[in-house]
Amino acid sequence: MTSHPEFNERTTGTEVARVFADQIRGKTILITGISPKGIGASTALAFASQAPDLLILASRTKSKLEAVADQIRTKFPSNSNTRIELVSLDLSSQHSIRQAVTEITRLTNNNKLDILINNAAINTTTRQTTPEGLEITFGTNHIGTFLFTNLLLLRNNLLSPPPPPARIITVSSAGHRLSPIRFSDYNFSSHPEKEVPPEEDYMHPLPGAFAKCTEDGYNGMVTYGQSKTANILFTSYLQRQLKGRGVGAYTLHPGTIETELGRDQDPEVKEEFHKIEAYWKSLDEGCATTMVAALDPALDETKGLYLVDCQVSDPHPHAKDEVAAERLWKLSEEIVGEKFTLEDF
């Protein structure tokens, strides 16, 4: 269903960018979650290799943004016409998100974004909350992405660009298989042994160290799994609601990359990953599926929802449930205190 069936787990983002260079040159691209040792940086470098017009990098830490911008300028000095802009964005803070969208609108001078890469995510081992009191993994990975994307749509930063269609790409994970949405307790405030509806319960049994909980019953792998299911359901709803509006939406599993396991990840959990993953990707390989989802002209007309190793694949059934997707959208609106009716955009 993609235009290059030969692309696979060992394909690099740089290679994909070279093949689809015409889809990048002169375009305006926004990437969240930028860190020098993460796939946000490798994604930015891959796009930068083919001279976009404007590359907007958004992340929490100014020094990390500047480091990646310096990498781009050093590696591609001949692409000096590419404008690089840096935006402070903390997806755990709804205030920060609203400020960032205002700044992005100013930077683009109300012109359209051609590609939005929702790459930012966290995975924590201890219970933490956002400034609004949400469990931080769900609040950042889903609610933050939900609000950020919808505000960009509301400001008309994505709708109705010239062809080819704009793309909204949200990086999910195979970890979504660990948990559906726990609508009855999305903050995971209850001890995991408390009964929840069967359709909301996490995978049983969890593999090895994935079952580890803190003393207060918090399991970071399960909350991460819920947030990654949310990314897929969010994209599914976007696809249906934006059909025919000049915007495509896809989500994906980038593969397992050592530096993406989380700087503070439990060593036993890291070891569990090493037991179950046969192939570990480089950062450049890790961004390749994102690049295919964002650039392949074969995906201009919606074909599938979720990509793995540069090809269309199927997520777990709980991540394809249209009823759950609509229910999550409404819950997300309640949480941010704002309704987003895509038909009105």
Side-chain angles (χ1 to χ4, degrees):
M1 296 175 74
T2 66
S3 62
H4 285 265
E6 74 277 11
F7 286 171
N8 56 39
E9 64 183 2
R10 296 176 189 266
T11 301
T12 66
T14 303
E15 179 184 353
V16 176
R18 185 167 56 249
V19 169
F20 296 127
D22 289 344
Q23 310 297 114
I24 299 175
R25 294 191 185 111
K27 299 299 174 60
T28 297
I29 300 164
L30 168 58
I31 308 168
T32 70
I34 301 296
S35 176
K37 296 182 179 179
I39 59 171
S42 58
T43 304
L45 285 162
F47 277 120
S49 71
Q50 301 302 324
D53 180 55
L54 173 58
L55 191 56
I56 303 174
L57 309 180
S59 198
R60 287 179 297 176
T61 309
K62 184 179 179 182
S63 61
K64 292 181 178 180
L65 287 169
E66 291 172 341
V68 173
D70 287 343
Q71 285 181 27
I72 292 170
R73 295 185 185 105
T74 300
K75 190 168 184 177
F76 306 111
S78 62
N79 293 350
S80 58
N81 288 334
T82 295
R83 180 175 147 217
I84 303 172
E85 296 287 355
L86 311 180
V87 174
S88 176
L89 170 66
D90 179 355
L91 284 176
S92 73
S93 164
Q94 294 177 28
H95 176 70
S96 172
I97 292 166
R98 293 178 187 278
Q99 285 187 318
V101 170
T102 298
E103 176 65 4
I104 290 162
T105 303
R106 184 190 69 79
L107 290 171
T108 58
N109 196 26
N110 291 313
N111 292 322
K112 311 298 182 194
L113 294 168
D114 294 290
I115 299 170
L116 166 61
I117 308 292
N118 286 318
N119 172 75
I122 64 167
N123 182 5
T124 182
T125 59
T126 58
R127 188 183 301 277
Q128 301 174 47
T129 57
T130 70
E132 291 78 24
L134 297 169
E135 187 278 317
I136 198 165
T137 307
F138 183 72
T140 301
N141 297 359
H142 169 61
I143 294 299
T145 297
F146 171 87
L147 180 60
F148 183 64
T149 303
N150 275 298
L151 289 175
L152 289 171
L153 286 165
L154 188 64
R155 298 286 184 96
N156 207 26
N157 283 335
L158 280 158
L159 288 174
S160 303
R167 296 264 177 99
I168 299 172
I169 308 302
T170 301
V171 179
S172 182
S173 165
H176 78 274
R177 298 174 184 276
L178 295 176
S179 180
I181 305 300
R182 193 169 175 167
F183 287 104
S184 61
D185 184 24
Y186 56 84
N187 271 329
F188 283 79
S189 55
S190 302
H191 193 278
E193 292 180 359
K194 179 181 177 179
E195 280 194 24
V196 297
E199 66 275 12
E200 297 180 10
D201 205 1
Y202 59 84
M203 175 193 291
H204 290 282
L206 290 168
F210 288 4
K212 287 184 68 174
C213 296
T214 59
E215 289 185 3
D216 65 354
Y218 182 82
N219 184 308
M221 292 304 300
V222 172
T223 56
Y224 180 76
Q226 172 182 247
S227 75
K228 295 290 102 178
T229 291
N231 289 158
I232 301 173
L233 292 172
F234 166 65
T235 302
S236 171
Y237 192 88
L238 277 179
Q239 269 195 356
R240 295 196 304 278
Q241 297 300 313
L242 292 174
K243 187 176 182 180
R245 304 290 300 279
V247 185
Y250 290 96
T251 184
L252 61 108
H253 169 53
T256 304
I257 304 103
E258 184 75 45
T259 58
E260 289 289 302
L261 282 182
R263 273 48 103 186
D264 302 319
Q265 188 56 270
D266 185 297
E268 291 184 27
V269 172
K270 284 189 176 183
E271 182 61 31
E272 195 66 40
F273 274 105
H274 281 279
K275 292 177 184 176
I276 63 178
E277 290 294 339
Y279 181 70
W280 290 71
K281 294 186 178 184
S282 69
L283 287 171
D284 200 9
E285 290 168 339
C287 74
T289 304
T290 298
M291 301 300 289
V292 171
L295 299 171
D296 192 342
L299 301 178
D300 283 351
E301 292 185 16
T302 298
K303 297 176 181 176
L305 168 67
Y306 176 75
L307 286 78
V308 177
D309 294 335
C310 300
Q311 303 299 329
V312 175
S313 185
D314 282 320
H316 190 281
H318 68 229
K320 298 191 293 183
D321 186 331
E322 292 186 4
V323 173
E326 183 171 359
R327 187 179 179 189
L328 177 64
W329 189 276
K330 291 178 179 177
L331 171 64
S332 304
E333 289 178 323
E334 292 173 8
I335 289 172
V336 302
E338 189 168 355
K339 287 192 175 294
F340 297 103
T341 305
L342 297 181
E343 296 92 335
D344 296 340
F345 286 178

